[in-house]
Amino acid sequence: MELIEAMAHETTEMVTLSVDSFVKRDIKLAEQIISRDDIVDDYFSQIKNHIIHMIAKTHDDADLALDLLMIAKYFERIGDHATNIAEWVIYSVTGTHKTIST
């Protein structure tokens, strides 16, 4: 639960800051948000690994474990959306959008 709370706090900050960067057209703030996405992704990985071990130990809490995994995944997606906002802020100011390499 502590990891999920930390993840929730981080994603809340990212969303708040992404709105601020949009309103202020602040590229530096947008770049900070983008760099924080790795933190949220790391939280998700830690939570997922913890849940895997929890299910492996006992099947009694499997329903709870899956609910927690879904919550963590939703927070991870919220972080992705905040990052997307930040990327579009940069684009709106500079005319350059980060492209995804394949």
Side-chain angles (χ1 to χ4, degrees):
M1 287 302 292
E2 291 174 13
L3 284 173
I4 289 179
E5 287 179 23
M7 189 180 197
H9 175 75
E10 187 67 30
T11 55
T12 300
E13 286 288 313
M14 287 177 71
V15 169
T16 301
L17 293 174
S18 69
V19 172
D20 286 348
S21 71
F22 173 75
V23 170
K24 297 174 183 174
R25 298 176 51 88
D26 187 332
I27 293 173
K28 289 186 182 193
L29 186 55
E31 289 170 344
Q32 291 174 14
I33 295 157
I34 293 167
S35 69
R36 291 172 85 165
D37 188 50
D38 290 338
I39 296 168
V40 172
D41 291 345
D42 185 55
Y43 278 132
F44 179 73
S45 292
Q46 289 180 55
I47 291 166
K48 183 173 72 171
N49 289 332
H50 180 74
I51 289 171
I52 289 168
H53 293 293
M54 188 169 82
I55 292 173
K57 282 183 180 179
T58 176
H59 300 282
D60 296 341
D61 294 330
D63 285 341
L64 172 63
L66 291 176
D67 288 342
L68 292 173
L69 182 62
M70 293 301 298
I71 290 167
K73 184 60 180 175
Y74 294 143
F75 279 128
E76 190 269 336
R77 290 298 300 140
I78 290 168
D80 289 343
H81 291 305
T83 299
N84 289 342
I85 292 169
E87 290 172 350
W88 283 105
V89 167
I90 293 170
Y91 173 75
S92 72
V93 173
T94 67
T96 304
H97 189 268
K98 176 184 169 187
T99 57
I100 299 173
S101 302
T102 55

